[in-house]
Amino acid sequence: MEIKLLNLQTKQVIAKEVKVAYRFWSRFKGLMLTKNMPDNLALHISPCPSIHTFFMRYPIDVLYLNNRKEIVGTEESLVPGKIGKRFSKTESVIELPAGRIKDTSTTVGQTVAFIETRK
């Protein structure tokens, strides 16, 4: 099974492959020490109210989601070594390749869905 990330308002696929970090160690590690992030990949971290980019080598885009998968905040091209913003009601975070938010016209107030597909 693969999981893709879909913007429910625009019907656009934001990421063709979503990796999940739902356990302590996978949330703790996140994207630290990885060399790059493929264009169609996303990392969903839950529960997670905020993130940092310490020990990362590249910038990322970030979607902050509430419990209904509505986007309550975004950050574009968050560079390595920074602490992400905090947005009220954030329950999970999606990390994306830098530029993906702009490329997909994703904005605060939109809702995303995780769609399971068979390979």
Side-chain angles (χ1 to χ4, degrees):
M1 287 291 240
E2 283 189 346
I3 302 171
K4 66 181 176 179
L5 182 64
L6 180 69
N7 182 320
L8 291 178
Q9 277 70 37
T10 66
K11 305 299 184 216
Q12 185 165 16
V13 174
I14 298 170
K16 290 183 181 174
E17 182 182 355
V18 178
K19 295 199 180 285
V20 298
Y22 298 162
R23 297 178 186 258
F24 175 79
W25 284 111
S26 61
R27 288 192 325 262
F28 176 77
K29 183 178 184 272
L31 296 171
M32 287 192 303
L33 305 176
T34 58
K35 292 182 181 178
N36 62 25
M37 187 169 199
D39 275 345
N40 288 309
L41 184 72
L43 177 65
H44 183 224
I45 306 171
S46 180
C48 181
S50 67
I51 56 120
H52 66 81
T53 57
F54 299 129
F55 308 106
M56 289 181 60
R57 300 175 180 170
Y58 50 89
I60 59 172
D61 284 359
V62 186
L63 301 176
Y64 297 86
L65 307 179
N66 66 16
N67 63 348
R68 294 184 307 273
K69 307 291 184 276
E70 293 170 341
I71 301 168
V72 295
T74 65
E75 284 190 273
E76 295 184 53
S77 295
L78 184 61
V79 297
K82 299 292 182 182
I83 295 174
K85 296 177 185 174
R86 292 185 74 85
F87 294 93
S88 179
K89 307 217 189 263
T90 298
E91 293 205 357
S92 68
V93 171
I94 299 172
E95 297 180 345
L96 299 159
R100 198 74 186 136
I101 289 174
K102 183 177 180 181
D103 291 346
T104 59
S105 302
T106 303
T107 62
V108 170
Q110 294 175 332
T111 304
V112 299
F114 298 94
I115 310 295
E116 288 187 6
T117 59
R118 295 187 187 269
K119 282 188 171 185

